Amino acid sequence: ADPSVPPDPNFIGPPSLIWGDADVLCSIDATQRTLTATVLASEREITANRDYQLTIFVKNPTLTIPPVEESPTNVWQLDTFDSSSSSGVLPTFRDSITLKGYPVYNKARQWVVRNQDPVTGVSYRNGLSAIPGLFIQLQLPTKLISGDIVLIQAPAGFLFNN
C-alpha cells in the first residue's frame, strides 16, 4: 500500500449518518499539530450521549516517541467549543479530554526468517521435526547498546531449544 494515499473508507453506518465535505470543514495547522473540524451544515449536529467515529489519516513521526509514562507530552487532546453564533462573540469552550498517546518505535530495516537448509534449500515443514538451523537476519536503524534487549517471539506452537 502506498503510505501517501489514504485507505478506502470503512463506513459502518448508513449513508444518512456519514458526513461529507459539505457538512464539515477540516483544517490542519501542521506547525501546531492541530486539526480543526467545523460543522458547516445546519441540519447536522453532534448529539450528547451518542458514540461517533472520527477517522483521521496521519503518519507516525520519524523519531522514537516514548510511552506517556516516560513522556508526559505524548497525549492526544480533544476540545470542543460552541459556535460563535451561540455566544454572540467568540467560540466558547465546552469540553476537553486527554487520551494517552502510544509509543512509536523505529522499525527494523530488514527482518528475514528462513526455515531451510542453506546448502540444499530444503524447508523443514514436518510437525515436531527439529530445525537444525533457523536463519534469522535483521538490520536495525540504530545501534544496540549495553542493556538493550532483542526479543524474538516465535509463532504459536514453535519451541526454542536451550
Side-chain angles (χ1 to χ4, degrees), residues 45-113:
E45 60 184 21
I46 296 180
T47 308
N49 300 315
R50 182 175 185 164
D51 290 337
Y52 289 88
Q53 174 182 322
L54 175 64
T55 304
I56 304 170
F57 303 103
V58 298
K59 291 182 182 178
N60 278 333
T62 56
L63 60 145
T64 300
I65 304 294
V68 72
E69 294 79 18
E70 298 172 25
S71 176
T73 60
N74 184 7
V75 294
W76 291 87
Q77 181 78 31
L78 174 70
D79 297 320
T80 62
F81 301 87
D82 270 335
S83 70
S84 54
S85 64
S86 295
S87 70
V89 189
L90 298 172
T92 55
F93 175 77
R94 296 184 72 188
D95 302 297
S96 182
I97 187 170
T98 302
L99 302 172
K100 289 182 180 181
Y102 51 88
V104 176
Y105 304 104
N106 291 328
K107 74 176 195 176
R109 291 191 176 129
Q110 186 174 38
W111 170 247
V112 176
V113 178

Side-chain angles (χ1 to χ4, degrees), residues 118-148:
V119 176
T120 65
V122 173
S123 294
Y124 300 97
R125 302 200 184 263
N126 292 334
L128 299 177
S129 64
I131 302 171
L134 184 66
F135 176 80
I136 296 176
Q137 177 178 338
L138 70 141
Q139 182 185 57
L140 303 174
T142 56
K143 72 177 184 174
L144 295 178
I145 60 172
S146 178
D148 286 350

